[in-house]
Amino acid sequence: MQSHASFSDVSELQLSVHGPVFTPADPGFAPEVAAFNLSTQHQPDLAFGALDAEDVSAAVRWAAERGMPVSVQSTGHGATNAIEGGLLISTRRMLELSIDPIEKTARVGAGVRWKAVVDLAATFGLMGLCGSTTDVGVVGYTLGGGLPILGRKYGFASDHVIAFELVTADGTQRRVTKDENPELFYLLRGGKGNLGIVTAMEFHLFPADDLYAGGLYFDGGYAPEVLRAFREWVPSLPVEASASMAFLRLPEMEMIPEPLRGKFVIHLRYAYQGDPATASEVLEPMRTCAPFMMDATGPLSPTQFDTIHQDPDQPVPVREHGFLLDRLDEQTEDALLRHFGPGVDSPVLLAELRLLGGALAKSADGEDIVGGRDAAFSFFMGAIAVPPVLDILPTVFNSVHEDLRPAANAGTFVNLHGHFVDAEDRERPWLPGARERLRKAKAELDPKNMFSFGHVVGLPVIDQTVLLQDVVSTGGDAVLNS
Ligand SMILES: Cc1cc2nc3c(=O)[nH]c(=O)nc-3n(C[C@H](O)[C@H](O)[C@H](O)COP(=O)(O)OP(=O)(O)OC[C@H]3O[C@@H](n4cnc5c(N)ncnc54)[C@H](O)[C@@H]3O)c2cc1C
């Protein structure tokens, strides 16, 4: 797509904000728009590094006056589909972070990653409800619901939000709580970036004592035994326990520890909060279901959450596909082994089943649009997205999805939905009722569909070419970018 912005328009933006503005010709542009997922190359017309809510508001107003689409990025962990055209607002400089240890609450700016919260909260003996890696942004994660390590005990991260500060498509800053703008509060918890840019968020923290967690690693040859044991074990788990199981085909890369490098392994992840002896006892059936290569479970400091899943901490090119399962029965087990079991040559690096249920099954006050509450498992696949494997991944993912369809849930969990393939797939994280409420709110707050990137419900997308050409013709200045 060819698009243009005039010198005077860009100068006007620069004069109305404090953070840096980058055109594609600027050396700072590429690092500003780079995503954690290296297979996604964002190509906005302009990038802007916001410093605070005023900056976000001014930039959104500037874009609104020109009918320009706006996208937002913090860490780029959720960059499943590329952003093309428009203004990308980067929040990575919005690093406000404070904790009230008495009230057990935190306030974060839009660019704060979980690691910063986890480290600071731990100094007060507290923890936030982070997921499998603390490298993701707190706000982007929570807007998608936020499936935490200890989700079965505490529910989704979004269940514990006190307030969002939101900039809507007209540049207005709104405080959104249960009592102020209640419909927005309902829709932001699970609604992702549909309705505007969240500039700050306040939420509850929890005592971080008595954590017991880690992973058991089995040779992939034992996949049938471990999967069967997992299926029989999970119904007995108390809500204090969370568990997931991954088929891992680990590449020959230095970042992988030697005993696991280049191997096919089964990784059983476990986390428990409560009495350590009980925590260990609850895990016993999995320890004895097959000979394990490594037992890395034990008492866990709240700053060590990343050691449970061992997610990559460096940017990687990946293609992801996720959905929800209502059950794990023998048929599902057979299908999983057909696709990922011993002797199968699969390009899928990671295929994981995360147990849901417990407090995840119900929102704290019963009102939000988070996906997965009625599902039994989240199922997620990730593969290194480089040619020639990249070309076959859609077929591979489809084939797995089809085989698991008898047990699949109608919705998806937006944070782990992965790459969307078309408009229908893009809004699949929301069931029809939620979709309609999102559309209604969007039609009121964002009638021109400025926020039309990433997982959003379908409103007509702004015709960027026409509008950006209008900018040029009305600006009357030299064209900056083409
Ligand atoms: C290795 C890995 C592990 C993960 N583990 C988990 C997990 O355990 N549980 C879980 O729930 N998710 C998990 N995720 C998914 C992750 O939570 C989502 O990708 C989330 O969107 C990341 O947010 P971000 O801001 O870091 O990413 P970004 O790519 O910067 O943002 C992704 C999207 O979030 C929205 N967004 C971000 N910031 C704002 C804002 N300020 N205002 C409005 N919208 C915004 C936008 O729609 C944006 O496109 C994982 C992802 C990865 C890569």
Side-chain angles (χ1 to χ4, degrees):
M1 172 192 290
Q2 278 216 328
S3 51
H4 313 269
S6 72
F7 277 124
S8 68
D9 278 300
V10 175
S11 302
E12 251 183 63
L13 174 60
Q14 280 166 330
L15 286 173
S16 60
V17 294
H18 293 102
V21 176
F22 303 96
T23 74
D26 293 324
F29 181 85
E32 196 67 33
V33 305
F36 183 83
N37 183 348
L38 297 177
S39 75
T40 300
Q41 310 283 327
H42 292 318
Q43 293 180 313
D45 294 314
L46 277 181
F48 165 55
L51 300 188
D52 53 26
E54 293 301 322
D55 256 6
V56 173
S57 171
V60 168
R61 209 171 300 118
W62 175 89
E65 282 160 8
R66 288 154 182 83
M68 191 182 268
V70 174
S71 55
V72 58
Q73 175 163 271
S74 166
T75 71
H77 274 80
T80 56
N81 292 70
I83 291 164
E84 286 181 27
L87 172 69
L88 185 150
I89 299 184
S90 159
T91 60
R92 64 179 68 165
R93 294 169 185 77
M94 297 172 65
L95 298 176
E96 171 192 359
L97 168 59
S98 58
I99 284 180
D100 180 337
I102 308 294
E103 294 297 321
K104 299 191 184 68
T105 58
R107 178 180 163 87
V108 295
V112 173
R113 294 176 193 242
W114 267 115
K115 176 149 181 42
V117 177
V118 160
D119 287 353
L120 183 60
T123 64
F124 301 108
L126 298 171
M127 63 177 187
L129 297 179
C130 65
S132 61
T133 168
T134 57
D135 205 32
V136 302
V138 181
V139 168
Y141 163 93
T142 307
L143 286 171
L147 173 59
I149 292 285
L150 287 166
R152 286 168 44 79
K153 176 164 183 180
Y154 293 105
F156 287 96
S158 63
D159 294 346
H160 303 285
V161 173
I162 300 162
F164 296 100
E165 287 170 14
L166 178 75
V167 170
T168 45
D170 58 356
T172 304
Q173 296 179 44
R174 296 164 206 259
R175 189 167 164 86
V176 179
T177 69
K178 210 171 157 218
D179 303 314
E180 278 173 87
N181 297 303
E183 177 69 2
L184 275 178
F185 191 62
Y186 171 91
L187 292 170
L188 284 180
R189 290 174 304 150
K192 214 66 189 174
N194 267 290
L195 299 172
I197 298 183
V198 169
T199 55
M201 203 178 79
E202 293 159 20
F203 55 98
H204 292 287
L205 300 171
F206 299 91
D209 33 14
D210 290 334
L211 295 170
Y212 185 102
L216 289 175
Y217 294 85
F218 300 89
D219 183 281
Y222 292 111
E225 289 83 353
V226 181
L227 181 57
R228 180 149 321 125
F230 183 73
R231 173 164 67 79
E232 289 168 0
W233 175 61
V234 290
S236 70
L237 287 186
V239 295
E240 289 79 8
S242 290
S244 67
M245 177 184 157
F247 298 78
L248 287 180
R249 287 175 159 80
L250 296 165
E252 290 274 359
M253 287 168 81
E254 257 179 53
M255 64 196 280
I256 315 280
E258 185 57 70
L260 303 172
R261 196 178 299 164
K263 300 257 170 55
F264 166 40
V265 296
I266 302 299
H267 185 193
L268 188 280
R269 297 80 158 255
Y270 178 68
Y272 187 101
Q273 190 175 32
D275 171 50
T278 312
S280 181
E281 204 178 296
V282 168
L283 183 60
E284 210 45 30
M286 293 310 296
R287 283 203 179 101
T288 52
C289 71
F292 52 77
M293 296 164 74
M294 198 197 296
D295 180 354
T297 58
L300 189 92
S301 135
T303 56
Q304 292 177 315
F305 276 112
D306 289 351
T307 63
I308 303 172
H309 280 239
Q310 302 273 356
D311 284 341
D313 56 4
Q314 296 300 319
V316 272
V318 287
R319 181 60 68 93
E320 301 157 337
H321 184 79
F323 51 98
L324 299 165
L325 294 175
D326 287 333
R327 59 184 179 277
L328 175 59
D329 51 17
E330 278 181 46
Q331 197 187 349
T332 315
E333 191 181 307
D334 289 347
L336 286 169
L337 291 172
R338 269 200 310 281
H339 287 281
F340 306 113
V344 179
D345 182 17
S346 171
V348 176
L349 185 84
L350 167 142
E352 70 167 19
L353 283 163
R354 288 196 203 188
L355 179 66
L356 303 178
L360 294 165
K362 201 169 176 301
S363 74
D365 49 16
E367 284 271 291
D368 63 30
I369 55 168
V370 176
R373 293 207 181 271
D374 59 343
F377 295 89
S378 155
F379 179 69
F380 179 82
M381 296 175 277
I384 297 290
V386 288
V389 170
L390 180 59
D391 301 332
I392 60 163
L393 288 178
T395 313
V396 171
F397 288 159
N398 274 344
S399 155
V400 176
H401 201 146
E402 276 314 308
D403 275 8
L404 294 180
R405 199 169 291 285
N409 185 280
T412 64
F413 175 60
V414 66
N415 278 0
L416 299 176
H417 179 109
H419 186 86
F420 54 83
V421 293
D422 55 28
E424 193 189 335
D425 190 30
R426 185 181 205 176
E427 53 178 37
R428 212 153 48 89
W430 301 288
L431 295 175
R435 246 179 248 170
E436 276 323 302
R437 269 172 93 162
L438 267 177
R439 275 206 194 95
K440 186 163 174 284
K442 209 163 162 54
E444 278 167 26
L445 291 169
D446 182 16
K448 290 191 173 165
N449 202 9
M450 273 176 67
F451 301 113
S452 54
F453 297 100
H455 278 281
V456 286
V457 292
L459 285 186
V461 178
I462 295 178
D463 182 343
Q464 295 173 36
T465 314
V466 172
L467 289 163
L468 292 170
Q469 278 168 356
D470 285 351
V471 167
V472 173
S473 60
T474 53
D477 292 325
V479 171
L480 261 187
N481 316 309
S482 58

